[in-house]
Amino acid sequence: MLTGCSLPSHLPEVTFHANGKTIRVEPAVYCDIGGDNCAERGQAGKLRVPPGKVVQISVDGQLADGIWEAVFLYRDAAGTQQTTGTGLLGKGEDFTYTLALPDKGDQLLGIEIHEAAAAVLETGQPLLRGYWAVEITA
């Protein structure tokens, strides 16, 4: 059971804007800063993004002060699903990111925002503290 001091009272939200629509998404899963005491919180957001359109991503100050990344799934013109990401962002410098796919005909399928915890895995990768998900329709 989670206690009041395990997770912050205000969970960070991520804002996604595309095709004239803006949505705010709560974390699907969120843990304390050490990557423990995790709780399932929100559901995936839904956003319509036609091929060739960009998505503006804006993160809460709490995420921007830490380390975060955007990971996205898309289908290329040949019909092959691809996964790629932004690499690590944040550290008090990155509050926004514009997601544009490599080619105009590529169709975005989904986006996840990952926040790193204070802990590090044996591989040297940061432990995931929370993630925000968006399902995309054309």
Side-chain angles (χ1 to χ4, degrees), residues 57 59 63-64 66-70 87-90 94 97 113-115:
I57 301 169
V59 300
L63 268 74
I67 298 174
W68 65 280
E69 69 177 336
L88 299 179
L89 301 169
D94 303 302
Y97 181 81
I113 303 299
H114 298 170
E115 179 185 10

Side-chain angles (χ1 to χ4, degrees), residues 75-80 106:
R75 186 180 304 102
D76 64 22
T80 305
D106 295 343

Side-chain angles (χ1 to χ4, degrees), residues 15-58:
T15 302
F16 299 85
H17 178 81
N19 202 40
K21 182 167 182 183
T22 300
I23 61 170
R24 292 180 62 84
V25 178
E26 293 183 342
V29 172
Y30 203 72
C31 308
D32 65 18
I33 191 67
D36 299 313
N37 299 320
C38 300
E40 290 188 28
R41 306 298 292 186
Q43 296 182 1
K46 297 185 187 309
L47 190 61
R48 183 176 174 276
V49 183
K53 298 293 183 184
V54 300
V55 178
Q56 298 287 332
I57 301 169
S58 177

